[in-house]
């Protein structure tokens, strides 16, 4: 195990992180979606489990996708269109089944839909403003990196990435791989949709997305845009159902607790003159 650990740590950076309680942050190098790199990532996950490492409610699982896949500003706008229509859904489907979002997400991976709606009202997305670099527009909307969807690295000298910060920390390879697939497909389809003909069935589904009110219908439409195979969609459908149900139970439990604390069950008698 010692030799194997030493070999793996030649690839991965391990360091302390202030946001993780009594733990470590592990950062991968730039990896490609191929057998060699996936095997390396799987080996790391197995090593962590063998040595009794675990994730707790302070751990986040940040995933970076190369921004150089995007070639136009329209690619970024399409990503924003898909993301903002499905932000609530994404916060449910990026964690394993039967788990709640970590409490610190609201500090380190906040939702940003409302900020983008505000930016529209302020005129930041008007065509005349697109003479600016896309990064300057994003910087006005999101002044720091602590967003579920983070664009701070897209023109970095050391890495050009779009970062997804909403997932909880994860040591199970299959769960981690599901998130990598999800975000990679989201980036891929954001790029491809821009140049698709208006009559393409996938583009028509994307256009329909903003008009769907029912959450489960919207989830299915979103996943059909990203994945052609129903089997690929199932893991996210199951995550959504279980995680939303768990979250709503917790909200109901809290509301019931407050009701019991604040109100009595004794009959209140009111005398009228």
């Amino acid at each position: 195990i010692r030799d194997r650990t030493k070999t793996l740590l030649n690839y991965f950076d391990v360091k302390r992180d202030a946001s993780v309680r009594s733990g470590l942050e592990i950062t991968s190098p730039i990896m490609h979606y191929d057998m060699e790199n996936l095997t390396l990532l799987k080996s790391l996950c197995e090593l962590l489990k063998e040595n009794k490492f675990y994730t707790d409610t302070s751990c986040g699982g940040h995933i970076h996708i190369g921004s150089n896949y995007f070639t136009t500003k329209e690619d970024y706008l399409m990503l924003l269109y898909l993301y903002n229509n499905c932000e609530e859904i994404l916060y449910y489907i990026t964690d394993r089944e039967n788990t709640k979002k970590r409490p610190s997400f609201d500090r380190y991976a906040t939702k940003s839909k409302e900020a983008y709606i505000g930016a529209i009202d302020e005129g930041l997305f008007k065509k005349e403003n697109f003479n600016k670099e896309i990064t300057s527009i994003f910087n006005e909307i999101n002044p720091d990196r602590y967003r579920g969807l983070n664009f701070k690295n897209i023109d970095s000298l050391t890495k050009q990435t779009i970062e997804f910060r909403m997932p909880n920390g994860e040591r199970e390879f299959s769960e981690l791989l599901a998130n990598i697939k999800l975000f990679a497909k989201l980036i891929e389809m954001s790029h491809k949709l821009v140049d698709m003909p208006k009559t393409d069935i996938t583009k028509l589904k994307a256009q329909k997305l903003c008009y769907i009110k029912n959450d489960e219908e919207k989830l299915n439409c979103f996943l059909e845009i990203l994945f052609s195979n129903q089997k690929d969609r199932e893991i996210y459908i199951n995550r959504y159902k279980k995680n939303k149900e768990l979250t709503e139970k917790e909200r109901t439990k809290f509301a019931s607790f407050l009701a019991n604390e604040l109100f009595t069950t004794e009959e209140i008698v009111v005398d009228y003159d």
Side-chain angles (χ1 to χ4, degrees), residues 107-159:
R107 178 182 176 188
Y108 295 112
T110 61
K111 296 176 182 178
S112 51
K113 179 179 178 179
E114 295 303 319
Y116 285 107
I117 291 172
I120 293 170
D121 294 336
E122 292 170 14
L124 289 178
F125 286 107
K126 287 182 178 178
K127 286 187 177 179
E128 55 265 31
N129 284 332
F130 265 61
N131 292 327
K132 298 180 182 179
E133 288 296 322
I134 192 77
T135 50
S136 67
I137 296 173
F138 289 146
N139 285 337
E140 288 190 52
I141 300 167
N142 296 321
D144 58 55
R145 72 178 189 273
Y146 300 119
R147 304 294 185 271
L149 175 60
N150 171 34
F151 292 108
K152 280 294 184 182
N153 298 317
I154 61 176
D155 62 349
S156 166
L157 293 176
T158 55
K159 56 184 176 183

Side-chain angles (χ1 to χ4, degrees), residues 37-52:
N37 282 271
L38 291 178
T39 300
L40 186 64
L41 185 59
K42 186 176 182 180
S43 296
L44 176 67
C45 292
E46 294 302 320
L47 183 69
L48 292 175
K49 288 192 290 183
E50 288 169 12
N51 287 277
K52 311 301 181 186

Side-chain angles (χ1 to χ4, degrees), residues 80-188:
L80 287 178
Y81 171 80
L82 296 174
Y83 176 84
N84 285 327
N85 271 292
C86 299
E87 184 176 61
E88 288 292 328
I89 288 169
L90 280 162
Y91 273 72
Y92 285 123
I93 67 174
T94 49
D95 298 323
R96 67 163 65 213
E97 281 185 46
N98 288 311
T99 55
K100 294 182 296 180
K101 191 61 71 183
R102 64 196 183 280
S104 62
F105 89 88
D106 214 18
R107 178 182 176 188
Y108 295 112
T110 61
K111 296 176 182 178
S112 51
K113 179 179 178 179
E114 295 303 319
Y116 285 107
I117 291 172
I120 293 170
D121 294 336
E122 292 170 14
L124 289 178
F125 286 107
K126 287 182 178 178
K127 286 187 177 179
E128 55 265 31
N129 284 332
F130 265 61
N131 292 327
K132 298 180 182 179
E133 288 296 322
I134 192 77
T135 50
S136 67
I137 296 173
F138 289 146
N139 285 337
E140 288 190 52
I141 300 167
N142 296 321
D144 58 55
R145 72 178 189 273
Y146 300 119
R147 304 294 185 271
L149 175 60
N150 171 34
F151 292 108
K152 280 294 184 182
N153 298 317
I154 61 176
D155 62 349
S156 166
L157 293 176
T158 55
K159 56 184 176 183
Q160 290 80 45
T161 66
I162 297 166
E163 182 186 19
F164 297 89
R165 297 174 60 89
M166 73 280 291
N168 291 338
E170 185 59 66
R171 64 170 193 169
E172 190 65 50
F173 175 71
S174 60
E175 301 289 344
L176 188 57
L177 182 61
N179 282 344
I180 293 170
K181 285 181 177 179
L182 177 66
F183 296 134
K185 290 298 289 187
L186 180 54
I187 296 296
E188 179 187 1

Side-chain angles (χ1 to χ4, degrees), residues 38 40 62 82 131 146 169 194 196 204 214 231 249 266:
L38 291 178
L40 186 64
H62 307 160
L82 296 174
N131 292 327
Y146 300 119
V194 170
M196 281 183 185
L204 290 171
N214 179 273
K231 187 177 179 181
K249 278 183 180 178
E266 296 175 3

